Amino acid sequence: MNPDAVQAVRALARASRVLERVSGELNLAHYRVLAAIGSGDERASRIAARLALGRPTVSAAVASLCQRGLLTRAHDAGDRRAAALALTLEGEALLDRVESEMVARIEDLCTRTPDGARVLESLRWLGAAIDEKHAERRAAREGRDR
């Protein structure tokens, strides 16, 4: 096993905990759901697939976030089973506040590395790679369903 890769995995696991601690008002799962909706995903099934979470997990998070007044759920007239999700003004404000706190923490940590800008760039690349892998899995799944 590659020792550098092991260290990278451990650092990412620790970084996720750092982000969760700084987000205080939201656990990381709820943050991920709000961020996905804030990025334009509005269906729970798409969010579940994108975040690699089970539909029951996303449904529970959506119910909790709606109860807190952070999300609204409107039924799609064309598909009674589907619901369009949207951030409320309070949800948008909380997401902005939490992301500001997370960004400040990541930027602080990056200043403690030899090349903070490169660390941020690498994390963006990692995010793009995750999106690419997700798109490949989705296309393969859709190909099997035909």
Side-chain angles (χ1 to χ4, degrees):
M1 196 168 3
N2 179 343
D4 289 338
V6 170
Q7 285 185 354
V9 166
R10 290 177 181 173
L12 283 171
R14 290 173 54 212
S16 70
R17 181 64 185 130
V18 166
L19 292 176
E20 187 166 39
R21 273 198 319 262
V22 78
S23 68
E25 299 174 77
L26 284 176
N27 65 41
L28 212 45
H30 285 185
Y31 164 75
R32 291 170 53 194
V33 170
L34 285 181
I37 295 166
S39 294
D41 283 325
E42 60 179 31
R43 294 250 172 116
S45 60
R46 287 188 197 135
I47 293 166
R50 181 173 184 213
L51 300 179
L53 296 171
R55 287 184 186 179
T57 301
V58 171
S59 293
V62 165
S64 175
L65 292 166
C66 284
Q67 187 173 27
R68 290 178 63 187
L70 303 173
L71 288 181
T72 60
R73 182 179 4 209
H75 289 285
D76 186 339
D79 184 354
R80 302 264 326 150
R81 298 169 299 157
L85 302 170
L87 298 175
T88 63
L89 291 176
E90 186 180 345
E92 287 178 22
L94 178 59
L95 181 60
D96 286 346
R97 192 167 54 250
V98 165
E99 285 186 327
S100 291
E101 293 166 358
M102 290 177 165
V103 165
R105 182 60 55 94
I106 286 294
E107 287 177 340
D108 174 59
L109 291 173
C110 286
T111 65
R112 299 164 190 269
T113 68
D115 190 345
R118 194 160 189 192
V119 171
L120 289 176
E121 181 179 42
S122 295
L123 290 171
R124 284 194 316 274
W125 291 343
L126 184 60
I130 292 168
D131 291 342
E132 182 180 319
K133 184 68 174 175
H134 169 70
E136 288 171 2
R137 282 194 310 255
R138 188 168 156 195
R141 197 170 41 252
E142 288 172 359
R144 285 192 308 267
D145 292 343
R146 289 183 184 178

